[in-house]
Amino acid sequence: SIEEAFYFPKSLQIETIRLCNATCDFCGIDDWDKSVPLMSDLLFEKIVHELHEYAHWIEFVSIQRCGEPLLDKKISLRIKRLKDVGIKSVTFSTNASMLTKEKSTEILEAGLDEIILSIDYIDKINYEKTRKGLNYETVMQNIENFFEVRDRIKPETTIRVRGVAL
């Protein structure tokens, strides 16, 4: 209902980092304002404090918007903080290039509920032509490892794959 829209958002995006380790053809990263590339702990805690009151209402928080969230060294701690205040679902999208077994374990143990893997192409040639700066084999191995770690640690975590069909 329209009244609900005036109460508080049901879904939010929090961009903790405004950097990426790839230079994809379709992305406008070169146009981003990177004067403050990383959200301060103080600002993040202020946001978490404000969200706490509405945790019962919020359906999900994406802890990413445009940047690569795994470049944020505190991403696992930030996920945990959101879960600790009662946010039902915490999600983010990643290019999976830094999604090592160790990082997978960290984010799943922190409480990540959903991950979106942005790969665009499943063939090496088109992938590396589009996702400049990333290694196809590394990304595919990271994705395979993530499934394994997810199944062991938190099998209810949703995995979505975003791409382009050929």
Side-chain angles (χ1 to χ4, degrees):
S1 74
I2 193 74
E3 292 82 27
E4 288 181 345
F6 290 109
Y7 177 65
F8 197 82
K10 285 195 171 273
S11 61
L12 297 101
Q13 290 180 308
I14 303 171
E15 186 171 57
T16 67
I17 193 152
R18 190 166 256 225
L19 299 171
C20 190
N21 58 337
T23 52
C24 304
D25 292 340
F26 54 82
C27 183
I29 190 170
D30 292 334
D31 299 327
W32 297 355
D33 174 3
K34 296 184 216 76
S35 58
V36 182
L38 181 65
M39 181 180 286
S40 71
D41 293 343
L42 189 63
L43 178 56
F44 185 78
E45 284 304 319
K46 181 180 189 297
I47 293 168
V48 169
H49 180 74
E50 291 177 12
L51 295 182
H52 182 246
E53 180 181 345
Y54 300 97
H56 67 284
W57 177 258
I58 298 168
E59 291 179 8
F60 77 89
V61 172
S62 174
I63 194 161
Q64 177 264 347
R65 187 171 128 6
C66 292
E68 171 51 49
L70 297 178
L71 287 170
D72 181 351
K73 292 178 181 14
K74 297 178 180 179
I75 194 70
S76 298
L77 296 172
R78 296 180 195 254
I79 293 166
K80 183 165 180 2
R81 283 292 295 130
L82 289 166
K83 294 304 289 182
D84 286 349
V85 298
I87 300 300
K88 292 181 219 74
S89 181
V90 178
T91 181
F92 68 71
S93 174
T94 177
N95 62 35
S97 65
M98 300 173 65
L99 194 62
T100 63
K101 281 186 179 181
E102 296 75 24
K103 188 53 76 175
S104 297
T105 300
E106 272 181 38
I107 61 176
L108 288 165
E109 287 178 348
L112 188 70
D113 298 290
E114 178 185 55
I115 190 166
I116 301 162
L117 305 168
S118 293
I119 58 169
D120 299 307
Y121 291 97
I122 57 170
D123 68 284
K124 179 180 172 64
I125 292 169
N126 283 313
Y127 177 86
E128 289 184 349
K129 186 167 61 171
T130 305
R131 293 270 176 174
K132 292 182 176 84
L134 303 182
N135 179 276
Y136 175 82
E137 287 83 8
T138 299
V139 169
M140 292 303 136
Q141 186 62 60
N142 285 348
I143 290 170
E144 196 173 307
N145 291 341
F146 185 81
F147 273 89
E148 176 189 309
V149 174
R150 187 275 315 251
D151 290 349
R152 185 170 33 85
I153 293 176
K154 195 171 179 249
E156 66 276 16
T157 299
T158 301
I159 299 172
R160 299 186 194 283
V161 178
R162 180 170 44 208
V164 177
L166 292 179

